[in-house]
């Protein structure tokens, strides 16, 4: 009889176990945000979520190059499968806020403390600059 060994390379997180972590996202700034208002500007803010937790920044009035420097903490159940989803939206005082651009980031594939530049989709929506800090927690 022959015995087959599983020789597939796996990353540390791809072991089937849960990998809880505290993820801190600092939304630094955005540049070249697409203008969606009639004044040639936008009133941008960032909404984000990981798993079921959501946060959002304050909105910045009449700018295409907003600066936030706002920090948010997420308690993540499983870093191996978690994704950070970010949307830059235009704040509307009356009516529905408009999505300007979006970006997604798999948390298992990033350094534990790093600045990240995200190109928003669709193309031409702008660029978002964040800092990501991940502190993995021991299973209890």
């Amino acid at each position: 009889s022959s015995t087959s060994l599983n020789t597939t390379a796996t990353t540390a997180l791809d072991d089937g176990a849960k990998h809880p972590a505290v993820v801190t996202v600092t939304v630094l700034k955005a540049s070249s945000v697409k203008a969606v208002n009639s004044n040639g500007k936008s009133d941008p803010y960032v909404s984000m979520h990981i798993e079921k937790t959501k946060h959002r920044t304050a909105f910045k009035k009449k700018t295409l190059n907003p600066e936030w420097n706002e920090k948010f903490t997420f308690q993540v159940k499983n870093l191996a499968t978690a994704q950070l989803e970010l949307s830059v939206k235009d704040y509307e005082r009356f009516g529905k806020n408009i999505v300007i651009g979006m970006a997604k980031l798999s948390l298992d594939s990033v350094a534990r403390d790093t600045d990240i530049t995200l190109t928003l989709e669709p193309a031409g929506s702008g660029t978002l600059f964040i800092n990501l800090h991940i502190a993995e927690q021991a299973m209890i």
Side-chain angles (χ1 to χ4, degrees):
S1 71
S2 67
T3 306
S4 66
L5 295 173
N6 182 355
T7 57
T8 308
T10 58
T11 64
L13 295 181
D14 189 21
D15 58 8
K18 297 273 190 234
H19 293 272
V22 174
V23 177
T24 304
V25 179
T26 305
V27 179
L28 302 169
K29 62 182 181 176
S31 65
S32 304
V33 172
K34 183 179 173 186
V36 295
N37 292 336
S38 58
N39 63 8
K41 303 284 186 184
S42 290
D43 302 316
Y45 70 94
V46 178
S47 68
M48 69 210 89
H49 72 270
I50 301 174
E51 295 173 340
K52 293 183 174 159
T53 305
K54 297 180 181 181
H55 292 295
R56 66 176 273 184
T57 67
F59 73 91
K60 301 295 181 180
K61 289 184 177 180
K62 299 180 183 174
T63 181
L64 302 180
N65 298 292
E67 291 193 23
W68 290 283
N69 295 307
E70 292 185 44
K71 188 179 285 192
F72 303 93
T73 302
F74 295 86
Q75 185 70 51
V76 175
K77 290 187 179 92
N78 190 358
L79 203 56
T81 58
Q83 278 199 328
L84 170 62
E85 295 187 31
L86 303 115
S87 298
V88 175
K89 297 180 180 179
D90 177 62
Y91 173 78
E92 293 293 326
R93 188 166 171 199
F94 303 106
K96 191 168 170 46
N97 295 337
I98 300 164
V99 176
I100 297 171
M102 301 172 75
K104 282 185 185 179
L105 191 62
S106 294
L107 297 179
D108 65 342
S109 64
V110 295
R112 295 298 174 249
D113 192 4
T114 187
D115 288 323
I116 299 173
T117 301
L118 298 164
T119 302
L120 299 171
E121 297 289 332
S125 301
T127 306
L128 186 61
F129 301 87
I130 66 171
N131 175 273
L132 201 60
H133 179 80
I134 299 173
E136 292 188 58
Q137 297 179 306
M139 290 296 289
I140 298 169

